[in-house]
Amino acid sequence: MKKILRVLVMAVLMCACMASVASAAKVAVILDTPLYFANEAKNQAMIDKKMGELFPVGQFELVPTKESVMRTQLWREENGLASTVTNSNNGEASYEWALKQEEIADLTKSMSCDYALVMRAVGNSRDSSSLTHGETKKSTVLLDVRVFNVMKNKYTYMNQFTVEATSKRGFIPLVPFSVGGSPSHKKAFNKAVQKGLKDLQIDTKNI
């Protein structure tokens, strides 16, 4: 009798877990950033971590960033929106056109998702150097973050802010070599985006 009860309890728990997974809203991230950023494993891991913080597992089912980046690329190719341009400021390629709301809706539906976190990051970089501060690459990034709700067919969260970060290599006075790794616009851009996402909060009750 006890054995039968145990089996029944386990069956009920399994059904509850399956129902919970089935009812969890599915969320993907859609990136409109320099292509190197979207395809870099470190950045994808950073975004996966942030997505987990914003959309807790159990309440939401998350599409891995690596998968959503590939699905976005394929969707753009199929819809004639995969052409790229090179940023004259730092030489990085990005998609030529930002997606319109109706295109975001279609892409989100193609991934069988209920929501999409749309993140656009556009940056400008500049160089500076001095004997006291060494060589510096500075990036100013405009972050545009939105949540698209498929059922409501509209953006239910929108936020836009500017973030700055630097990549440096210092000099030691009177010593004929520099210290630290080689600075780059990519490093400065990545740090700026990471800095901006760190404090990003979204009240999922209102999306």
Side-chain angles (χ1 to χ4, degrees), residues 18-32:
M18 290 175 67
S20 175
V21 171
S23 64
K26 192 173 181 182
V27 188
V29 61
I30 297 174
L31 298 179
D32 184 2

Side-chain angles (χ1 to χ4, degrees), residues 22-198:
S23 64
K26 192 173 181 182
V27 188
V29 61
I30 297 174
L31 298 179
D32 184 2
T33 66
L35 298 185
Y36 87 85
F37 180 90
N39 288 288
E40 198 169 87
K42 274 187 177 181
N43 296 329
Q44 291 176 355
M46 174 188 69
I47 293 170
D48 281 337
K49 182 180 178 182
K50 186 62 183 183
M51 288 288 286
E53 295 172 1
L54 295 173
F55 304 98
V57 176
Q59 297 178 47
F60 299 93
E61 178 188 354
L62 303 180
V63 177
T65 301
K66 183 176 182 178
E67 179 183 338
S68 66
V69 167
M70 180 57 70
R71 296 283 292 273
T72 298
Q73 172 68 23
L74 292 172
W75 186 92
R76 279 181 172 272
E77 290 172 359
E78 291 169 1
N79 289 276
L81 294 167
S83 58
T84 61
V85 292
T86 301
N87 186 325
S88 59
N89 182 252
N90 55 30
E92 300 300 338
S94 300
Y95 288 121
E96 185 172 8
W97 304 108
L99 297 180
K100 300 174 184 177
Q101 182 171 310
E102 58 265 31
E103 292 164 341
I104 292 292
D106 189 58
L107 172 55
T108 305
K109 290 174 185 175
S110 75
M111 292 190 276
S112 302
C113 288
D114 303 288
Y115 299 94
L117 178 75
V118 184
M119 187 182 86
R120 188 176 189 217
V122 181
N124 287 306
S125 301
R126 58 185 183 273
D127 302 339
S128 65
S129 62
S130 70
L131 291 175
T132 54
H133 294 95
E135 185 182 359
T136 299
K137 310 286 186 183
K138 186 173 185 178
S139 186
T140 302
V141 175
L142 174 66
L143 270 178
D144 186 312
V145 182
R146 310 180 187 190
V147 173
F148 182 79
N149 182 315
V150 171
M151 185 176 291
K152 294 181 179 179
N153 194 35
K154 67 177 184 179
Y155 292 116
T156 50
Y157 172 89
M158 292 186 287
N159 195 4
Q160 193 175 81
F161 47 96
T162 302
V163 192
E164 291 187 344
T166 58
S167 174
K168 298 180 180 181
R169 177 171 59 187
F171 294 107
I172 299 177
L174 305 179
V175 177
F177 58 82
S178 59
V179 295
S182 178
S184 72
H185 295 299
K186 285 183 180 181
K187 290 178 183 178
F189 183 93
N190 292 359
K191 285 170 69 175
V193 174
Q194 185 174 11
K195 183 178 176 182
L197 290 180
K198 184 178 179 181

